[in-house]
Amino acid sequence: METGNVLLASSGANVGRVQTGKNPTLICVPIMAESVEKMVVDMNKAKASGADLVEIRLDCLNGFSPREDLQALITHSPMPTLFTYRPKWEGGQYDGDENERLDVLQLAMELGADYIDVELQVAREFYSSINGKKPEKCKVIVSSHNYQSTPSVEALGNLVAKIQATGADIVKIATTASDITDVARIFQITVHSQVPIIGLVMGERGLISRVLCAKFGGFLTFGTLESGIVSAPGQPTINDLLTLYNFSQLGPDTKVFGIIGKPVGHSKSPILYNEAFKSVGFNGVYVHLLVDDVAKFLQTYSSCDFAGFSCTIPHKEAAVKCCDEVDPVAKSIGAVNCIIRRQSDGKLFGYNTDYVGAISAIEDGLRGKHNISSSGSSPLAGKLFVVIGAGGAGKALAYGAKEKGARVVIANRTYDRARELADTIGADALSLSDLDNFRPEDGMILANTTSIGMQPKVDETPVSKNALRNYSLVFDAVYTPKITRLLREAKESGATTVSGLEMFIGQAYEQFERFTGLPAPKELFRRTMSKY
């Protein structure tokens, strides 16, 4: 079964953890310093951060003297130790004699290591060299790393059997994700494993394997002390695992939510929703989902455990076709930014909460400017409303503005797409390059719905500062950074500005309620986002 449902079942029991949360999955911090002294400092940091054990990467040490260094590391470690002496041929730094390397692992075992990691390729030799003399307390992890791809479920199953056959106490498989759907195969193997198993998928597309292994019964996951200093691609920090993802509280019944996008790493949605889930005691986790093909993603993760998704650039329009039912408003906009999986039958429902979030933020901005009360007609009625971009968010704003009685103009890099959208909703169209000279009247409203000006290209703007003088309000859907170049220049030109953060918070209220069935903690949302 290549893709399809990620099914749940109980998995191999964990060895030696005092259970504090809902899952027995351990958090291991890789220690990769170049000296024993620095390693001891890092081990204490790991302990203070809430780690369960440390992986000591002996191949990172400069000038290693086995007996005395191992003794020092084991004696001074404040927590259980896993020793790894990774050779170059398996992605590590050790480039010396193989027998000497295996002798060091054997010595670590004799001196009191809690775990050692031996590569599958040399596991048989290692076991025959120790001659059955393994201390009771030490567990052997036999590992296999694939830096190219993630094999089929069948091939992974065979690999597990091969690792088990060596006599391993714990199976470790690390593969590489070329697509986020690859991770489903590792979840399947993890969930059905009868032995303790570490199944992780490297790379940004594999990030969910490192978080959701707690739901699917993985033996351990890795969390780094600092971001960017990783022992394998895609590792999160221990701080993110524990505070952002609430890792120790994840269990088999935890519902999975996430943001589908490409790129997606910049999104603040996981911070917002996980904080809110925690505050109301909702058993859910919200993750970044770097998705290339939204249809393939939704087909692969089709179990009810994957309960709902936010959808962002560039998938909002494609998502419409993937839903079993689409809300009439989302259908007329032609874009979905919220997908809910009905728990009774697994059917997918698509909604658009973008336009409510954005339009109400713009209306509030106009009311504040003119001190208008919020009752009565919309302050957008009769205004000329220029939308930059004809994608999912552009459609949502154009539709919303039109509905409030505004006269709408669509400006887009490719004129044909602007024309197409304009014809659909009864608006005018412009090429983005003509926008600088478009000044039919004063007091217009401008809304940028493209990613122009988003990190990392923060010095870009869709329209020249000179052209901004004719607008009374400028809105930018980009919220990383909070104040884009467009908003900064609009403010300098005298316009009221509304940041994408307002739209982001507004559209999140409705999504939260659809995800959880609970009222959105609006104050908490504002407090959480005010920190960023």
Side-chain angles (χ1 to χ4, degrees), residues 238-299:
I238 180 166
N239 185 42
D240 276 354
L241 284 172
L242 288 170
T243 54
L244 170 58
Y245 299 116
N246 207 11
F247 188 85
S248 56
Q249 293 306 311
L250 307 183
D253 302 334
T254 302
K255 294 292 180 196
V256 181
F257 301 86
I259 173 137
I260 294 172
K262 184 184 178 182
V264 79
H266 65 279
S267 171
K268 299 285 188 283
S269 294
I271 296 168
L272 191 70
Y273 290 104
N274 286 321
E275 194 62 39
F277 289 167
K278 213 183 305 186
S279 81
V280 300
F282 178 76
N283 187 8
V285 63
Y286 190 104
V287 289
H288 287 111
L289 301 164
L290 178 56
V291 170
D292 299 280
D293 178 334
V294 69
K296 187 179 171 189
F297 170 82
L298 291 167
Q299 239 165 353

Side-chain angles (χ1 to χ4, degrees), residues 27-30 45-53 79 222-227 235-247:
I27 298 182
C28 178
V29 168
K45 278 188 193 163
K47 169 87 173 164
S49 303
D52 297 295
L53 73 157
M79 57 189 12
F222 292 93
T224 64
L225 282 177
E226 292 168 55
S227 70
Q235 287 173 347
T237 63
I238 180 166
N239 185 42
D240 276 354
L241 284 172
L242 288 170
T243 54
L244 170 58
Y245 299 116
N246 207 11
F247 188 85

Side-chain angles (χ1 to χ4, degrees), residues 127-449:
Y127 273 109
S128 57
S129 76
I130 64 173
N131 234 334
K133 292 202 287 285
K134 181 171 86 71
E136 184 50 41
K137 114 169 216 194
C138 188
K139 304 287 177 206
V140 177
I141 298 172
V142 174
S143 61
S144 159
H145 296 76
N146 182 332
Y147 291 96
Q148 276 69 52
S149 63
T150 300
S152 67
V153 168
E154 191 185 358
L156 287 169
N158 294 339
L159 182 57
V160 171
K162 200 169 162 186
I163 293 176
Q164 271 180 274
T166 64
D169 296 303
I170 299 161
V171 170
K172 178 184 175 190
I173 297 174
T175 64
T176 300
S178 51
D179 190 280
I180 195 166
T181 54
D182 295 347
V183 185
R185 303 199 281 280
I186 288 287
F187 287 154
Q188 226 171 311
I189 291 294
T190 304
V191 124
H192 294 120
S193 176
Q194 297 310 304
V195 290
I197 184 167
I198 302 163
L200 298 170
V201 186
M202 298 180 278
E204 195 187 344
R205 288 170 175 78
L207 174 68
I208 55 170
S209 72
R210 300 176 177 281
V211 177
L212 299 182
C213 57
K215 172 178 171 60
F216 293 118
F219 180 75
L220 66 74
T221 192
F222 292 93
T224 64
L225 282 177
E226 292 168 55
S227 70
I229 302 175
V230 299
S231 61
Q235 287 173 347
T237 63
I238 180 166
N239 185 42
D240 276 354
L241 284 172
L242 288 170
T243 54
L244 170 58
Y245 299 116
N246 207 11
F247 188 85
S248 56
Q249 293 306 311
L250 307 183
D253 302 334
T254 302
K255 294 292 180 196
V256 181
F257 301 86
I259 173 137
I260 294 172
K262 184 184 178 182
V264 79
H266 65 279
S267 171
K268 299 285 188 283
S269 294
I271 296 168
L272 191 70
Y273 290 104
N274 286 321
E275 194 62 39
F277 289 167
K278 213 183 305 186
S279 81
V280 300
F282 178 76
N283 187 8
V285 63
Y286 190 104
V287 289
H288 287 111
L289 301 164
L290 178 56
V291 170
D292 299 280
D293 178 334
V294 69
K296 187 179 171 189
F297 170 82
L298 291 167
Q299 239 165 353
T300 303
Y301 296 98
S302 59
S303 88
C304 286
D305 286 301
F306 293 85
F309 309 99
S310 310
C311 196
T312 187
I313 295 170
H315 298 309
K316 293 183 185 191
E317 291 156 278
V320 175
K321 299 185 191 73
C322 304
C323 296
D324 298 295
E325 281 184 38
V326 177
D327 179 75
V329 172
K331 194 172 267 178
S332 47
I333 292 171
V336 152
N337 76 319
C338 177
I339 301 170
I340 302 295
R341 178 168 273 123
R342 192 160 64 190
Q343 294 298 300
S344 58
D345 57 7
K347 280 199 153 69
L348 295 173
F349 288 77
Y351 301 93
N352 193 305
T353 68
D354 273 339
Y355 82 107
V356 181
I359 294 295
S360 49
I362 291 168
E363 286 181 325
D364 289 348
L366 287 171
R367 287 193 181 107
K369 188 183 174 98
H370 303 297
N371 293 321
I372 312 168
S373 79
S374 54
S375 56
S377 68
S378 168
L380 286 173
K383 288 262 194 289
L384 193 59
F385 194 108
V386 179
V387 178
I388 302 176
K395 287 180 176 171
L397 262 99
Y399 175 91
K402 189 81 186 159
E403 217 190 20
K404 298 287 186 176
R407 296 167 290 137
V408 178
V409 176
I410 314 289
N412 196 50
R413 273 185 178 150
T414 43
Y415 174 77
D416 290 346
R417 283 207 66 182
R419 184 72 271 159
E420 199 183 322
L421 173 56
D423 289 346
T424 314
I425 66 159
D428 287 319
L430 272 181
S431 164
L432 184 55
S433 53
D434 295 335
L435 191 57
D436 280 354
N437 302 313
F438 178 73
R439 294 170 196 167
E441 61 188 70
D442 276 336
M444 300 185 290
I445 290 156
L446 181 69
N448 172 42
T449 69

Side-chain angles (χ1 to χ4, degrees), residues 32-53:
M32 298 176 298
E34 292 179 348
S35 72
V36 171
E37 295 71 32
K38 176 80 168 78
M39 279 189 167
V40 172
V41 169
D42 285 350
M43 288 196 267
N44 284 300
K45 278 188 193 163
K47 169 87 173 164
S49 303
D52 297 295
L53 73 157

